[in-house]
Amino acid sequence: MNRTTLSLIGAATALAAISGVAALTGGSSEDAGSAGKAATRLPVQRSTLLCPTPSTSDVSSTTYTAYTPKRDGVDAKDGTAELLPAQNAADDVTDPGGDGKGDKNDKNDKSGKDGGKGGDKPVLPLKEPGKPVTTDVSSADAPALIGTADGRFAPGWTVQQTTTIDAGSGRGILGTACTAPDTDFWFPGVSTDRGRQDFVHLTNPDDAAAEVDLKLYGPSGRLKSATDESITVPPRSTLPVLLSTLTDQRAESASLRVTARSGRIGAEVQAVDQKAGSDWLPPSAVPSSSVAIPGIPKDATSARLVVFAPGSDDADLKVRLAGPNNSITPAGHESLHVKSGMTAAIDLGDVTKGEPGSLLLTPEGGEGPATPVVAALQVTRGKGGDQETAFIPATAAIERSATAADNRTKGSTLSLVAPRAAAKVRITASAGAGGGSPVSKTYEVKGGTTKALEPPRPASGKGPYAVTVERLSGGPVHASRMLELTQDGVPMFTIQSLPDDRGTVVVPEAGQNMSLLNDD
């Protein structure tokens, strides 16, 4: 083949590439010769969310609420959003210690007739952005869910799972925002103590099996594993693993790392305390040298901080409490030293002293680079036999917007903390699941303070509604939402952190470049 033939082939290929770029970006002949245009931010086209199995208790019920906010620049016609039941995996992997999970006979099992894709009836299909949909189910019959949204429903798609257990072990409210799949998760605040039963729920949304490693770290380092094998999560399946079966060592406070060797998974920990109720423990934000834990209730009777340093260096942290008016140092807990590869925990007691607040962890003074950490806070309300517990992980800042679904007419509290500079935010209450009109209000959060407020409600709204927080200007903002429901004297509550919803993505803009056709 001679040089002329090669040149013609190259020219044809380049023309095809240019045509494709022009179709993608909407370029015209007037754009010829332009290159290196600034990147633009566009709405995402597809989102995946995974919801763990809510509960197997016969005295429980679960409310699911799904919502996608209205967004500018989104095609107003195309798209779907729905969830499908996941298959339950076999208990020979789930319960390596053989002490009582029994998934093979679990009535939650929806597997076996559809190639591992769960039931064929969609759950919570959305009809239009800006209006939530909700459904109530018996948790004893509720499977894990695998959901996909595309087109106009993908940007900011949020699903909330709220379970109420009326009695028995784990009674209380267990709330979680269904999460996106990933390959690496950190859970500081887990326990293998005899007074706790912690299950990590692993959900595989894909059509190939995922290989997952689970590693536990206590106050003296890595907990000795009872098995050397990784765990296989079958395709389109969920697998709850009891953490105390992974090791013979008992630790009141530990940190769990979940890593997918192959594939991707969703991971959340269901923590059941024999005395203080139960809740979901979401993963911590990625390791960082500065950490924000937003939304400690004003009536918290105790708070336990758990921190882990995953790197090769120790971490020295300054501990501050950002209250309504300023930041203070908790008496007796001015700083915290965390050894590399070890879990550190401190009891802060009733640290808020009747005022809402947030914990801020920053590097202690000194030379050299700061050491990244992961962290979480276990919060308790009530006393004696009327205690209830919830967890707040370290939470990433809201870059643009974040949404909490399933807000009620009573019992919802939104907490916003600005660790450094002041920030301005807009909070929008969606229409209710049963109708109504959205309502928006603008707030300013002073630097170094926490603003706890009752979010706005939809006008003439009925049923659960969503609340979206948009950062308009100023410094970083971290947020969480508390949902509370007092029952029989027990202050039941759950707290969901609100990281950025990643509803948009940066896309570099390309243009035609005819120099590709030059034959040198």
Side-chain angles (χ1 to χ4, degrees), residues 62-264:
T62 295
T63 297
Y64 292 99
T65 306
Y67 175 75
T68 293
K70 288 185 177 181
R71 296 285 175 106
D72 294 333
V74 177
D75 191 313
K77 296 181 180 180
D78 296 332
T80 58
E82 60 187 25
L83 300 104
L84 293 171
Q87 177 183 354
N88 264 344
D91 68 342
D92 57 346
V93 176
T94 305
D95 194 7
D99 58 350
K101 293 189 54 135
D103 285 301
K104 284 184 178 178
N105 297 317
D106 195 333
K107 58 185 173 183
N108 288 338
D109 194 349
K110 307 291 182 182
S111 60
K113 294 183 180 180
D114 57 359
K117 294 190 177 181
D120 56 0
K121 185 177 180 180
V123 179
L124 296 176
L126 289 180
K127 295 182 179 179
E128 58 179 301
K131 182 177 181 181
V133 295
T134 186
T135 187
D136 297 317
V137 298
S138 168
S139 287
D141 299 322
L145 299 175
I146 299 173
T148 302
D150 57 24
R152 61 179 176 151
F153 295 109
W157 184 45
T158 303
V159 179
Q160 168 78 14
Q161 172 181 297
T162 308
T163 301
T164 302
I165 301 178
D166 295 330
S169 178
R171 61 97 182 94
I173 297 179
L174 296 84
T176 184
C178 302
T179 57
D182 208 335
T183 58
D184 195 19
F185 304 86
W186 282 103
F187 296 92
V190 301
S191 178
T192 60
D193 200 34
R194 287 180 173 83
R196 282 264 294 268
Q197 276 198 323
D198 287 12
F199 294 84
V200 58
H201 287 244
L202 308 172
T203 305
N204 177 6
D206 298 322
D207 294 329
E211 297 293 326
V212 181
D213 285 337
L214 304 178
K215 296 180 181 179
L216 287 163
Y217 300 86
S220 299
R222 175 85 182 272
L223 299 183
K224 186 177 180 181
S225 178
T227 175
D228 294 329
E229 296 182 1
S230 66
I231 292 175
T232 300
V233 185
R236 307 284 296 181
S237 298
T238 192
L239 188 64
V241 181
L242 180 60
L243 296 187
S244 60
T245 64
L246 300 176
T247 179
D248 295 329
Q249 295 179 266
R250 297 291 166 253
E252 180 182 5
S253 295
S255 299
L256 169 69
R257 186 177 192 181
V258 179
T259 307
R261 291 189 191 180
S262 64
R264 56 180 189 154

